Amino acid sequence: MASTAGEDTGTTLRPGEPGSAHTDHHTHRDVSGGWLRPAVFGAMDGLVSNLALMTGVAGGAADRQVIVITGLAGLASGAFSMAAGEYTSVASQRDLVMAELEVERRELSRNPEDERRELVGLYRGRGLPEELAEEVARHLSKDPEQALETHAREELGVAPGELPSPMLAAVSSFASFAVGALLPVLPYLLGATALWPAVAVALTGLFLCGAAVARITARPWWYSGLRQLLLGGAAAAVTYGLGTLFGVAVG
């Protein structure tokens, strides 16, 4: 007697085998958020720029007080500059997208049939049969907001409800830059009188930041960490050399 659906036939079907139900699920990282890029860029920039600034001043034979003041000034000015730049950049991009969305909204209101045919052409170009493309476009065009979102995704590559926040980007950039820039100053604030503890802390921070980013981006942690360490170390070495050269020339 043939077995019916739901009966135990004594055979276990593995996922992926014919007749098996697909029960595996997977998730994706958030790649559209407005916080990751400015936070990562801010932390790296804070570490590298303030370390390079301080080593350049130290190379010129400046005393401890001057180096600390330089580091704190670099932290404050850099954090505010990063936040302002990030806010302006994201806000300008958002304004541009909103303007284009308004153009699309007007077109949907004035020429709905032309916009529907535009969708048909898009889906036909992606390989859908003409009848199916017509049906999908007709269905998506019934609701004006859904139609706007569809056209925005297909033509502009954006989702109206998922635009990055300028304030979130600015705050992320400010905070991450400040934390990164604080690391090379911290040994001096805790009583260090030589440059090497600041360099050691900053380079360690760069390696850890690179390794942490690798956990998000799925790159090898050692590769990302080492890359950031080498870039930061090279910047510090160059500015220290320039500081020494200028210090000797001025002296």
Side-chain angles (χ1 to χ4, degrees):
M1 179 184 296
S3 61
T4 59
E7 289 183 352
D8 184 2
T9 61
T11 302
T12 302
L13 293 175
R14 296 181 177 86
E17 291 183 347
S20 67
H22 179 70
T23 57
D24 294 335
H25 299 282
H26 67 280
T27 58
H28 292 287
R29 297 175 179 87
D30 179 13
V31 297
S32 62
W35 65 271
L36 179 60
R37 184 185 64 84
V40 171
F41 180 70
M44 298 298 183
D45 192 30
L47 270 165
V48 174
S49 63
N50 220 28
L51 174 63
L53 179 63
M54 292 172 63
T55 54
V57 172
D63 60 25
R64 175 181 178 276
Q65 184 178 8
V66 173
I67 297 174
V68 172
I69 293 174
T70 300
L72 293 176
L75 185 158
S77 61
F80 280 109
S81 177
M82 285 286 293
E86 196 66 37
Y87 183 91
T88 302
S89 174
V90 175
S92 299
Q93 182 67 24
R94 185 184 180 94
D95 290 344
L96 175 62
V97 172
M98 294 301 291
E100 292 300 312
L101 288 176
E102 189 57 34
V103 170
E104 194 64 40
R105 193 188 302 274
R106 286 198 303 268
E107 287 300 312
L108 284 168
S109 176
R110 295 173 182 175
N111 305 296
E113 184 58 25
D114 289 344
E115 293 298 303
R116 188 191 66 79
R117 286 200 297 268
E118 193 173 272
L119 278 184
V120 173
L122 284 171
Y123 293 133
R124 288 279 290 132
R126 294 185 178 183
L128 267 66
E130 184 172 357
E131 291 184 2
L132 181 57
E134 287 277 0
E135 181 180 352
V136 171
R138 183 171 60 253
H139 177 76
L140 294 175
S141 299
K142 289 180 180 179
D143 180 13
E145 290 303 314
Q146 185 180 50
L148 176 63
E149 182 169 346
T150 302
H151 280 274
R153 288 182 182 274
E154 297 292 347
E155 298 177 36
L156 303 177
V158 298
E162 299 176 5
L163 298 179
S165 164
M167 184 59 68
L168 177 60
V171 171
S172 299
S173 183
F174 180 94
S176 59
F177 185 98
V179 170
L182 179 62
L183 288 182
V185 187
L186 196 58
Y188 282 103
L189 296 178
L190 295 177
T193 57
L195 178 63
W196 70 264
V199 174
V201 169
L203 293 182
T204 301
L206 280 170
F207 182 85
L208 293 177
C209 281
V213 170
R215 292 185 62 85
I216 299 174
T217 59
R219 293 293 298 273
W221 65 270
W222 58 267
Y223 173 82
S224 295
L226 188 60
R227 178 179 60 182
Q228 296 304 326
L229 186 151
L230 292 176
L231 290 174
V238 169
T239 55
Y240 184 84
L242 290 174
T244 302
L245 179 64
F246 294 152
V248 171
V250 172

